[in-house]
Amino acid sequence: MLGLALALAFGVMLSFALSDTLAKSVSSKIGSKRATAIMLAFSSLSLLPIFLLDGVQSFGYYSLLLSIASGIIYALAMFMLYKALETQQVSNTLSLAGIEWGLLTLFSVLVLAEGLTNIDILSIMGIFAGAFLVTSTEKFKFNRGYIPAIVAMIAFAISYMILVFAQQGLSTPLMPLFINRFFAFAAIYMYLRRSPEKGSRFKNVQVARLKPLTLISNAVMGILNGIGSLALLFLAQLGTLAIGSAIVAAEPAVVILFGYVFFKEHFVKHQILGFLLLIAGTIALTLA
């Protein structure tokens, strides 16, 4: 059982790491709005078969509305994340995921009345200190280009907080998750229709004329996102989410490696310290 859980956890980590790394290349070529819409479309499609096999459960309006709200916020989160990836390094951007974990920990304490240990407090302090170091330039000046990424991590946390309430009373969280992804796609699609890409780099880009590899990469991003989300649910069903989360929390380390190898990204010394603080703090939170 533990072997299966570890395999699933590494699968989740690699799925999210590959999806987020591909997002850097795709977003910088076609724009964050298009990249988000296509990714969420394929994420929804990848969840659909499991959702249909699981069967439609009794679902109250309260849970439905919360699932829809979480999906709209999730769309905002993905859009802002990809907005940052248009111009900023994927390594620095994705390392900020620790902010999401820190906020979810505070949520579990303040709202769900769970305990907060000294390790939790130190981990959260380390995460936010690391976030400052990662998003600052060589002269410790804050890089405003990472503001969308910070907003994205806050929005991700809020989206999952709402999903916690949406799935209460249900045997599995599959239905809220599918509704989350479907309405996330619907929200970004309507936004894209009303407000097309306007930047000089993207406004003349036509999806029909894009290189097949770019479109395939964008579709793979969504499929990996859906697979990763499903694997997380299976970890919860196996009762090994705590152990699995610690492995998944190391995703930024893999993304940093991919960024260095594939995008030739460079870092100043204090940013490397920030990476270490973020990763260590995030893993410590999942183990505490």
Side-chain angles (χ1 to χ4, degrees), residues 37-48:
I38 296 172
M39 189 284 287
L40 287 173
F42 280 90
S43 181
S44 300
L45 289 173
S46 65
L47 289 168
L48 181 59

Side-chain angles (χ1 to χ4, degrees), residues 11-263:
V12 173
M13 181 186 67
L14 289 175
S15 293
F16 287 156
L18 287 170
S19 179
D20 292 335
T21 303
L22 286 171
K24 168 61 182 176
S25 176
V26 173
S27 296
S28 60
K29 290 178 181 177
I30 69 175
S32 51
K33 295 177 186 177
R34 294 191 189 96
T36 305
I38 296 172
M39 189 284 287
L40 287 173
F42 280 90
S43 181
S44 300
L45 289 173
S46 65
L47 289 168
L48 181 59
I50 304 297
F51 169 71
L52 294 176
L53 288 173
D54 184 60
V56 178
Q57 306 175 48
S58 177
F59 205 63
Y61 287 111
Y62 177 72
S63 293
L64 176 62
L65 290 175
L66 289 178
S67 300
I68 293 172
S70 72
I72 294 171
I73 297 173
Y74 190 82
L76 170 66
M78 294 305 308
F79 166 60
M80 296 302 286
L81 175 62
Y82 290 176
K83 187 69 176 176
L85 289 175
E86 285 181 3
T87 57
Q88 305 302 318
Q89 293 193 149
V90 65
S91 303
N92 302 61
T93 302
L94 267 300
S95 67
L96 295 173
I99 294 175
E100 175 189 348
W101 288 85
L103 291 175
L104 287 173
T105 299
L106 290 176
F107 167 75
S108 68
V109 173
L110 299 176
V111 179
L112 303 181
E114 297 181 4
L116 186 67
T117 66
N118 290 332
I119 294 178
D120 290 331
I121 296 172
L122 290 174
S123 299
I124 293 172
M125 291 172 62
I127 284 170
F128 285 99
F132 168 75
L133 293 174
V134 163
T135 57
S136 58
T137 62
E138 190 171 358
K139 296 182 179 180
F140 289 94
K141 183 179 179 181
F142 177 67
N143 184 346
R144 292 179 178 272
Y146 290 107
I147 291 177
I150 294 172
V151 172
M153 298 312 168
I154 295 172
F156 277 130
I158 294 173
S159 176
Y160 285 117
M161 290 174 194
I162 296 174
L163 270 181
V164 168
F165 295 110
Q167 68 188 37
Q168 287 181 347
L170 300 177
S171 58
T172 73
L174 280 172
M175 192 166 184
L177 180 62
F178 175 74
I179 293 173
N180 169 286
R181 292 298 193 273
F182 178 81
F183 278 92
F185 164 69
I188 197 65
Y189 177 77
M190 288 188 290
Y191 177 53
L192 180 60
R193 296 282 293 180
R194 291 178 61 88
S195 178
E197 299 280 5
K198 296 178 181 178
S200 58
R201 293 170 55 197
F202 309 120
K203 66 180 181 180
N204 294 323
V205 173
Q206 297 183 19
V207 174
R209 296 183 179 180
L210 289 172
K211 293 181 179 180
L213 181 60
T214 300
L215 291 174
I216 292 172
S217 297
N218 207 166
V220 169
M221 285 158 51
I223 294 171
L224 290 171
N225 177 274
I227 291 174
S229 300
L230 282 174
L232 271 177
L233 296 179
F234 283 115
L235 281 173
Q237 289 183 340
L238 290 172
T240 55
L241 186 58
I243 297 174
S245 295
I247 295 173
V248 176
E251 181 211 345
V254 179
V255 174
I256 291 168
L257 175 62
F258 287 164
Y260 179 79
V261 173
F262 297 113
F263 297 106

